[in-house]
Amino acid sequence: MFNKPNFVKSGLYSALFLSGLLQAQDTVETSALIVAAAQQSTAIADEPAAKSSEKPAPKKHKQAARAVDLAKPISIEEVALPQAEKIEASKAEPVSKKQKPITVAKPEKLEAVVEDKEYTAKQQLIAEPEAVAVTSNSSKKVKAAIAVQAPSSGNDEKNTAEKNVVEASNEAVNKIIPSIESALNTAKQQQAALDEPLVILDTEIPPATATRLAWTPDQSFKGIAIPTPVLVVNGAKPGPVVCLTAAIHGDELNGIEIVRRVLYNLKPEKLTGTVIGVPIVNLQGFHRNSRYLADRRDLNRYFPGNPAGSSASRLAYSFFNEVISHCDALVDLHTGSFYRTNLPQLRANTKNPKVLALAKQFGATVIVHGKGAPGTLRWAAVQAGIPAVTLEAGESMRLQVAAVEHGVKGIETLLEQKEMLHSLKFWKTTEAIYEQTLWVRADQGGILFTRVSEGDRVKAGDVLGVVTDPITNASSEIIAPFKGRVIGLALNQVVMPGFATFHLGVEAANLIKPELIDEYNGVNPVPDTESVDETITELEDFN
């Protein structure tokens, strides 16, 4: 006769799993529970179920690295990293490059990081009634492990009924095979992430570690090359890799301070994932207080670069492949340029679902649609499959506290939304998305006096500013041609006719016909609507 108790147990587990009522704490535990139950349902009265005598291999636990307390974000001194020999994972395979002494914020104390039971991978056995190890490399083995045999008996009617039930159970079990395989693959990937350390710039970064590396372009003069600092905070738990870049234009300072504050405020032992920050990408321009490289080229027009191209193209290629290629998401920090200032805003290709999702995770920050000009870092990253946005805040040549604080809070909100850290300071609200933008230009030369500020909402006919001729005293008003919001403007200065003075954002509910904006800007109409929108957005991007 058929062993009913075991069979009923199998059907009960399968039904509970499919209905969603049976939930295990770990995907591997869930898979083991279903397979164990199904295996026991194969028992027949004449052939008792065989108990597994195999024991799972003991799990190797990775020793956590020492914590680095970055309590003082202003002081930067040398702090020794934990020795490589103290990490068990390093014994299996030597690191590609010996870890150098690191430079981080001066710590108040160094303390050991205790092993976190929440993220240490464990293989727990099912205690019902005996542990059954789950090992499967193919769907064929999974099917063989959970196949249920039909009973044999002299009672044809009873056996037929039981056989029908068994077949129904088999069919239900076969349906969950993909879920079991997916659970096993997920567990395997999670374990691989725990076992494999982060390696960037030929250096292994252990978990729960904050360090400073250096990127040195190959085409620099070896004797006088100045390495570019790359700050890395690798969390105690595996997760996304978020990259922050600033000062691709050497005269844009707000982004440098944003990166510094974000990186030195992170505690690696409390972080999930990794944050990589490059405060000054364009050291050549930064040292000269210039937007450009030494050869007057704009580095943000040469990504992803070419190893056999111009100096700017080679720099771009080296940086993109040695640093950016490690990123799961990118935030490129900029300011207004040429004596203009920007309301804190995100430039993002809102037609790309992954990019739009990334932009919305910043909270209360204006989003401006745009694919990005070819050659920009943001554009190249998206082309490579890395969601990327440009965060604009403030003006060049100056440090503005309000813009810096907005940028820091936006990035902390992003990390919170990605479940990389837990912060009480993040934004829960969101801002508007502007599908179109328009630069309003001066019709007369003279001295510009603005009448509005960043963030002001204006309607058609409002006075945005006045331009006065210092010789004749003749004045002309700059009038808003459409309803919108001031997302950028020129500082008070001497302007020439045609100078772009006020940048207006237009929400989706107030979209303007592309041909009207084309006529206003003096550009030829483009048949493709999306191309027209892109032309409007990037017409005077200044980045």
Side-chain angles (χ1 to χ4, degrees), residues 347-388:
R347 306 280 176 87
N349 182 4
T350 58
K351 309 301 182 184
N352 185 314
K354 292 183 179 180
V355 174
L356 179 59
L358 174 66
K360 287 184 175 180
Q361 290 178 322
F362 279 79
T365 303
V366 167
I367 300 174
V368 177
H369 167 66
K371 291 180 180 178
T376 59
L377 179 57
R378 169 167 70 96
W379 173 87
V382 174
Q383 293 295 110
I386 304 171

Side-chain angles (χ1 to χ4, degrees), residues 445-466:
I447 301 175
L448 170 66
F449 296 95
T450 60
R451 297 283 181 87
V452 294
S453 302
E454 306 102 307
D456 287 354
R457 301 181 185 274
V458 297
K459 59 183 183 297
D462 285 354
V463 177
L464 303 177
V466 176

Side-chain angles (χ1 to χ4, degrees), residues 282-301:
N282 180 6
L283 273 177
Q284 294 182 19
F286 177 75
H287 288 154
R288 297 165 45 249
N289 201 25
S290 170
R291 171 185 178 89
Y292 303 107
L293 296 170
D295 61 357
R296 292 290 298 168
R297 283 188 170 94
D298 187 337
L299 179 59
N300 206 29
R301 293 296 181 270

